[in-house]
Amino acid sequence: MLSKKIITAFLEQYKEQKHVYKEYANTVKFILETLLKNNRFNYQVVFAREKDFDKLQDNFEIKGKYESISLIKDLAGCRVIFYLESDIQRFITHIYKEFSVIETIPHYSPDDYNAQHFVVYLNKDRINLTEYSKFEGLRCEIQLTTVLYHAWSEMAHDITYNPPKELSHF
């Protein structure tokens, strides 16, 4: 477990860089949307977000999840919501063409959230461009899922972490 002093230093570091992660997530979102439109994919929406400070703090303090801020895979994140699983499978090829993929994390369960997660960097061609050079070394987690699984995960998250009063008897 990390000391309180080290955790505080990590959190301060993130607080100072949070706007960069937000900009990075929005940049990855723009690239994803361009790929989707240029290749005529049917999809519902692309979300982008930087890691919530309170969740990051919980990950450090409560869960003891990280040893350093540089090991965190999802300080920037995007989720692409497709209508069909087959479109996800076709889109994966574009992820590998346009990004440097560090890790692929399949999330498949018969009764839970299903998605394909990719931890990526911008590829060297993009990093060499002036407008993207500030993102060198930053990771982004891209999640590909369907409308149904997205709805399920949102509902399950809300029930698990913020249960409505009506469900208290369950």
Side-chain angles (χ1 to χ4, degrees):
M1 192 71 163
L2 297 174
S3 73
K4 193 82 162 160
K5 186 177 179 179
I6 292 172
I7 292 170
T8 301
F10 287 152
L11 292 171
E12 285 302 315
Q13 181 184 355
Y14 180 65
K15 195 181 285 187
E16 291 170 9
Q17 296 176 344
K18 189 175 181 198
H19 70 282
V20 176
Y21 286 100
K22 181 176 185 170
E23 186 179 351
Y24 182 44
N26 285 321
T27 297
V28 172
K29 176 185 178 193
F30 172 77
I31 294 167
L32 292 169
E33 288 175 329
T34 302
L35 288 169
L36 290 160
K37 289 173 186 165
N38 288 351
N39 293 285
R40 297 187 177 117
F41 278 91
N42 290 321
Y43 67 99
Q44 185 184 48
V45 69
V46 180
F47 293 109
R49 60 107 187 113
E50 73 282 5
K51 186 86 166 175
D52 179 71
F53 185 82
D54 292 335
K55 287 183 183 177
L56 180 62
Q57 188 170 9
D58 288 348
N59 286 339
F60 273 118
E61 293 177 350
I62 297 168
K63 299 176 186 173
K65 194 171 177 181
Y66 305 120
E67 294 175 21
S68 87
I69 208 152
S70 65
L71 297 176
I72 302 171
K73 301 171 186 176
D74 65 343
L75 292 178
C78 291
R79 181 179 283 182
V80 183
I81 302 175
F82 291 90
Y83 293 105
L84 301 172
E85 181 72 31
S86 58
D87 284 331
I88 292 174
Q89 297 310 313
R90 285 189 317 116
F91 191 67
I92 289 172
T93 306
H94 296 282
I95 297 287
Y96 279 95
K97 283 182 189 174
E98 297 295 327
F99 297 94
S100 295
V101 177
I102 305 164
E103 186 177 2
T104 303
I105 309 162
H107 289 268
Y108 289 107
S109 168
D111 58 352
D112 203 357
Y113 169 73
N114 289 307
Q116 195 63 256
H117 291 198
F118 297 86
V119 180
V120 303
Y121 293 119
L122 292 181
N123 67 25
K124 289 184 187 208
D125 292 338
R126 288 194 197 278
I127 285 297
N128 288 332
L129 298 171
T130 303
E131 62 270 26
Y132 295 134
S133 63
K134 62 185 161 198
F135 303 129
E136 186 169 11
L138 297 185
R139 300 173 186 200
C140 182
E141 182 180 69
I142 299 173
Q143 302 174 355
L144 308 178
T145 193
T146 64
V147 173
L148 293 174
Y149 285 123
H150 174 70
W152 175 257
S153 72
E154 291 294 309
M155 184 194 71
H157 179 272
D158 288 350
I159 289 172
T160 302
Y161 295 104
N162 303 312
K165 284 184 181 179
E166 304 85 46
L167 297 178
S168 63
H169 62 280
F170 283 103

